[in-house]
Amino acid sequence: MTSAQAAAPAGLGRYRGFAFAFSAYLLWGFLPFYMKAVAHISPYEVVAHRVLWSVPITAAILLALGGFSSFLAVFRQPRMLAMGFLTASLISVNWAIYVWAIGSGRALESALGYFINPLVNVALGTLFLGERLSRAQMFAVALAVFGVGLMTVESGGLPWVSLALALTFGIYGYLKKTLPIGPTQGFLLEVVLISPLALAYIGWLAATGSGHFIGTGMVTTISDTVLLAVSGLVTAVPLILFVYGARLLRYSTIGLMQYIAPSMIFLTAVFVFHEPFSAGKLVAFMFIWAALVVYTATMFSGRKA
């Protein structure tokens, strides 16, 4: 095989990886429109359906790809199950905050949370993994902290939505590193472990006539039923696309692409949802963006974190 022939599959793999990852971030970027559509439904009910409908979709994908046996083996490992339940709880809290925030007109704060998430990951690596920050990275963290401080002054209080989203997702990602299981298997494990709670909650809503799914009460509509039924697709598909995209791309490429979704959320919040965006908030975001520029530059510099 010639060098040109060897390079072709690798190049094709990168293109496929880019297509997978870009599609995932694009879907995540459009997610606020779905969240607005279900804003009249309790965030807890939306999260319960996201969990429950993700189980068959993810299981079907895993069966098609051939990785179900390794998933079943996890149920013989109590420590793995405990960690899976912990990560499942964290991502559920993250989802609930996000659903509530978008429905409450706080998409800007949600965007800020996912903008600062990479810097939270840097901080977690420093605190718990013994990773050392370069001067540029310390400067990036300082810029982000200053930006959050400005947002606090501008908003008259801590942007708790942003911080909660960044921290729950950051800790979730950190703990996922301790699970010696494939990403798709890990996600299926999470939704399977908390699906009994989700099913019990949906059952309680049905029994009390306060749910929004078919046959659960007077508030049920066809559109609500459809929206809740597709919540599994909305949840599982972009995540799985991301997983397979990340496998085919360099870490630095994924690191740069992760700003696509919060950028789309930011633009949607300002220009579609028309959320208030003052000059003070713009300055705060500019410090966050500057921090991300510095942070991203370090990924290409070859220096260790």
Side-chain angles (χ1 to χ4, degrees), residues 14-29 114-115 118 241-242 244-264 292 295-296 299-300:
R14 284 194 294 271
Y15 285 125
R16 289 176 57 209
F18 182 86
F20 287 146
F22 183 76
S23 298
Y25 283 117
L26 203 62
L27 289 172
W28 279 327
Y114 290 114
F115 273 128
L241 284 171
F242 169 77
Y244 286 97
R247 287 182 177 179
L248 297 170
L249 292 174
R250 294 170 56 187
Y251 180 76
S252 57
T253 304
I254 286 292
L256 192 59
M257 293 179 72
Q258 68 185 315
Y259 306 127
I260 294 172
S263 297
M264 291 176 64
L292 293 176
Y295 165 76
T296 303
M299 292 194 301
F300 293 95

Side-chain angles (χ1 to χ4, degrees), residues 41-203:
I41 303 175
S42 163
Y44 305 112
E45 185 175 1
V46 174
V47 170
H49 278 277
R50 290 186 75 176
V51 169
L52 203 59
W53 290 102
S54 291
V55 173
I57 292 170
T58 311
I61 292 172
L62 196 57
L63 277 169
L65 296 174
F68 209 75
S69 58
S70 60
F71 164 72
L72 293 176
V74 173
F75 289 88
R76 296 191 295 270
Q77 305 176 48
R79 181 181 176 277
M80 188 92 74
L81 292 175
M83 287 298 298
F85 188 80
L86 180 57
T87 56
S89 301
L90 279 168
I91 198 61
S92 297
V93 171
N94 181 272
W95 286 350
I97 294 171
Y98 184 71
V99 173
W100 174 85
I102 299 296
S104 302
R106 305 179 83 159
L108 268 175
E109 289 185 55
S110 301
L112 176 63
Y114 290 114
F115 273 128
I116 64 177
N117 177 248
L119 301 170
V120 169
N121 292 339
V122 170
L124 289 172
T126 304
L127 291 173
F128 299 110
L129 298 178
E131 297 176 353
R132 298 184 62 183
L133 297 182
S134 66
R135 290 182 180 178
Q137 289 173 326
M138 286 190 286
F139 181 57
V141 172
L143 285 173
V145 170
F146 190 73
V148 171
L150 285 178
M151 186 67 77
T152 300
V153 173
E154 172 66 22
S155 304
L158 273 174
W160 70 267
V161 170
S162 307
L163 296 175
L165 286 173
L167 286 171
T168 52
F169 199 71
I171 297 171
Y172 169 77
Y174 167 76
L175 291 176
K176 287 279 281 187
K177 291 180 180 292
T178 67
L179 283 173
I181 188 175
T184 307
Q185 288 96 331
F187 178 68
L188 180 57
L189 174 66
E190 290 164 355
V191 291
V192 164
L193 288 176
I194 56 175
S195 60
L197 294 175
L199 186 59
Y201 181 65
I202 293 170

Side-chain angles (χ1 to χ4, degrees), residues 213-250:
F213 196 64
I214 186 168
T216 60
M218 295 297 293
V219 293
T220 302
T221 66
I222 294 175
S223 62
D224 288 343
T225 297
V226 172
L227 284 169
L228 290 173
V230 301
S231 61
L233 286 171
V234 168
T235 302
V237 170
L239 181 66
I240 292 168
L241 284 171
F242 169 77
V243 166
Y244 286 97
R247 287 182 177 179
L248 297 170
L249 292 174
R250 294 170 56 187

Side-chain angles (χ1 to χ4, degrees), residues 280-293:
K281 287 183 178 179
L282 175 60
V283 173
F285 266 91
M286 288 177 69
F287 273 94
I288 301 295
W289 291 329
L292 293 176
V293 169

Side-chain angles (χ1 to χ4, degrees), residues 1-12 14:
M1 181 184 292
T2 67
S3 58
Q5 289 173 319
L12 180 60
R14 284 194 294 271

